[in-house]
Amino acid sequence: MTAPLIDPFQRAITYLRVSVTDRCDFRCVYCMSENMTFLPKKELLTLEELDRMCSTFVRMGVEKLRITGGEPLVRRDIMTFFNAMTRHLESGDLRELTLTTNGSQLERFAQPLHDAGVRRVNISLDTLDEKKFADVTRWGRLPQVLRGIDAAQKAGIRVKINTVALKGFNEDELFPLVEWCADRDMDLTFIEVMPMGDIGNEDRLDQYWKLTDLRAQLAERYTLTDLAERTGGPARYVRAEETGQKIGFITPLSHNFCESCNRVRLTCTGELYMCLGQEDMADLRAPLRNNPGTDAPLEEAIRAAIAHKPKGHDFDYSRQTVDGRMSRHMSHTGG
Ligand code: SAM
Ligand code: SF4
């Protein structure tokens, strides 16, 4: 192990989110436009490069890896990468290997992922209505995702559902979603829609459903107990006493969580974003690719990047314009 990564605000960086592809088999309306142009293959880190990159971060103190995308499970031969990370779990250097997925490929991948050491997975699901599901994901099919969720639970992987709160779309499903998750012993996290990328003519201010309003609606039916649990990210959790389940709220726009931020994000091309809400990034692909024999220049580039991690983000909806709007898509930095 080398010296741990500490940023200028004394935050230890122990959590790396890695996007392994910008491609996806869905086209969710808040995430992508229908006709996306994807990156040429040579721009992407190879599976071997991803291994070297993640292993370097683990050596520098990263204890949790979350694999995301795009849709991570559509990346060709992705199990090669997951299987390569197993050695870090076995050595105890890595405490958790996990992923965020749309669930479409889980029927096939759940067991191999469990075999590789994955014990928890976040699955994105915004509605339980087949027609609405097809509308919001454009290309997705609900039954396939439900089979994926079944397969994950059967394999012994704990499932958390992530639901983007969309005004006028899934407001009426608040309680059905909570109850469905409770029946299946799954936690549920709501995410406020964020201004990311150009996704066509959807108006994000129209879609914005404030999670404080959502929470107030929940409190009319359930006793909500605040949990002290913090992940170092923008999520806050409550327990719904009547169902026993944990419900999370990710409110990057209306909540300031930056002081406890412990994470950085790596794109599929090897750019390191120090903050989801800032444009500042460092290219790690060049120091990696140009030095096949040694990781020293890569380590140096990582340290230099962390030294620039900003104090906080600039998102702001308060003036009824989408200020602080990010030009990149969520599928680029991996959400
Ligand atoms: N494809 C995988 C999935 O959907 O779970 C992983 C990548 S996806 C970009 C990660 C998460 O970001 C998903 O839960 C998705 O709903 C969320 N997301 C995408 N665009 C968003 C936006 N504009 N605002 C809030 N959440 C968004
Ligand atoms: Fe694909 Fe996930 Fe984006 Fe939906 S949210 S388009 S599933 S990357």
Side-chain angles (χ1 to χ4, degrees):
M1 293 278 280
T2 53
L5 289 170
I6 309 284
D7 84 355
F9 305 96
Q10 299 307 310
R11 297 169 296 195
I13 306 305
T14 55
Y15 181 8
L16 177 67
R17 299 171 75 106
V18 184
S19 171
V20 293
T21 177
D22 60 334
R23 289 165 198 259
C24 187
D25 51 348
F26 292 2
R27 290 289 181 280
C28 301
V29 294
Y30 46 73
C31 180
M32 293 192 183
S33 63
E34 190 138 29
N35 306 305
M36 292 288 287
T37 316
F38 294 109
L39 294 161
K41 201 171 159 220
K42 66 173 189 332
E43 298 288 321
L44 297 194
L45 297 179
T46 65
L47 295 173
E48 295 74 28
E49 286 172 336
L50 279 168
D51 180 351
R52 249 182 92 197
M53 192 73 93
C54 292
S55 299
T56 302
F57 273 99
V58 169
R59 219 165 40 241
M60 298 174 89
V62 161
E63 297 174 341
K64 177 170 173 178
L65 270 183
R66 176 175 295 281
I67 311 307
T68 174
E71 174 46 43
L73 298 180
V74 303
R75 170 89 195 238
R76 206 170 162 182
D77 293 330
I78 191 63
M79 280 315 303
T80 308
F81 169 74
F82 277 102
N83 289 330
M85 291 301 102
T86 307
R87 70 183 190 277
H88 299 307
L89 289 170
E90 286 170 353
S91 72
D93 292 338
L94 190 61
R95 285 205 306 202
E96 183 164 37
L97 174 63
T98 184
L99 68 153
T100 302
T101 171
N102 64 26
S104 68
Q105 309 300 316
L106 266 181
E107 200 175 11
R108 189 154 53 102
F109 283 110
Q111 191 58 53
L113 285 168
H114 186 273
D115 295 345
V118 172
R119 294 294 175 266
R120 295 199 301 175
V121 65
N122 287 357
I123 302 179
S124 305
L125 181 71
D126 302 330
T127 172
L128 291 169
D129 179 284
E130 262 191 71
K131 162 86 172 61
K132 280 162 73 180
F133 188 88
D135 286 347
V136 77
T137 61
R138 290 199 189 102
W139 294 6
R141 296 296 169 258
L142 181 64
Q144 189 179 344
V145 171
L146 296 182
R147 287 199 302 275
I149 295 174
D150 286 341
Q153 291 198 302
K154 196 160 160 250
I157 300 178
R158 190 151 175 84
V159 174
K160 188 179 74 140
I161 299 293
N162 278 348
T163 300
V164 177
L166 295 165
K167 203 169 191 133
F169 177 76
N170 54 13
E171 275 174 298
D172 57 336
E173 287 191 77
L174 178 61
F175 294 113
L177 273 165
V178 170
E179 281 155 24
W180 180 76
C181 287
D183 286 346
R184 306 186 53 133
D185 189 26
M186 300 188 299
D187 294 325
L188 171 61
T189 292
F190 292 99
I191 311 175
E192 248 173 24
V193 73
M194 284 190 269
M196 308 291 285
D198 175 14
I199 41 101
N201 47 16
E202 308 287 334
D203 183 348
R204 269 177 232 276
L205 285 172
D206 276 359
Q207 294 178 323
Y208 184 48
W209 178 13
K210 246 179 120 111
L211 292 197
T212 42
D213 296 346
L214 186 157
R215 187 190 156 131
Q217 269 173 265
L218 278 179
E220 286 173 16
R221 189 171 301 188
Y222 300 117
T223 316
L224 305 180
T225 310
D226 281 306
L227 299 178
E229 183 177 328
R230 294 280 186 274
T231 58
R236 294 291 176 265
Y237 296 97
V238 298
R239 182 168 307 287
E241 297 301 343
E242 288 78 2
T243 65
Q245 92 212 100
K246 209 164 74 172
I247 300 179
F249 306 96
I250 301 189
T251 53
L253 302 168
S254 54
H255 202 289
N256 195 342
F257 55 87
C258 303
E259 70 284 349
S260 59
C261 183
N262 60 355
R263 62 199 56 196
V264 288
R265 292 175 165 79
L266 186 72
T267 70
C268 53
T269 58
E271 295 164 346
L272 188 73
Y273 279 88
M274 275 63 77
C275 170
L276 184 59
Q278 300 274 2
E279 299 279 4
D280 192 30
M281 60 89 174
D283 171 36
L284 299 182
R285 190 180 62 191
L288 177 92
R289 252 184 210 174
N290 300 342
N291 300 281
T294 167
D295 290 334
L298 174 62
E299 281 192 23
E300 205 175 300
I302 293 173
R303 281 198 200 286
I306 299 298
H308 284 108
K309 185 168 161 63
K311 196 168 180 190
H313 65 74
D314 286 337
F315 288 128
D316 185 6
Y317 269 112
S318 58
R319 277 161 281 166
Q320 289 300 302
T321 57
V322 190
D323 277 1
R325 177 196 285 271
M326 303 303 303
S327 59
R328 63 186 189 270
H329 286 260
M330 197 73 147
S331 51
H332 188 67
T333 31

